[in-house]
Amino acid sequence: MTVSIPLVVLLGVAVVLAVRYLKLRLWMALICAVFGYLLAATTLAPDIDRALRAFLDWVTPAP
């Protein structure tokens, strides 16, 4: 799956805001990032990818 840069930037901004205003600790955000990285190597990765694609297609329908 190709993730566009704007989506990555949007998620990065969300993490920064959560760390700053919601009192999410930096180490918690790093653990979540490592968990996501490791989750991508499991057998669940294709199912997660399909679910994410379906959600993104629903949110941003094709013209």
Side-chain angles (χ1 to χ4, degrees):
M1 172 172 142
T2 303
V3 176
S4 64
I5 296 299
L7 180 58
V8 172
V9 171
L10 181 65
L11 291 174
V13 168
V15 169
V16 168
L17 291 175
V19 167
R20 186 167 184 156
Y21 297 110
L22 298 177
K23 304 300 183 202
L24 177 71
R25 301 285 181 229
L26 184 58
W27 66 269
M28 293 176 183
L30 292 175
I31 288 175
C32 290
V34 170
F35 175 70
Y37 178 77
L38 294 175
L39 189 62
T42 66
T43 56
L44 286 175
D47 295 328
I48 294 169
D49 184 49
R50 273 187 246 115
L52 184 58
R53 283 180 188 267
F55 175 74
L56 290 175
D57 287 343
W58 178 69
V59 171
T60 57

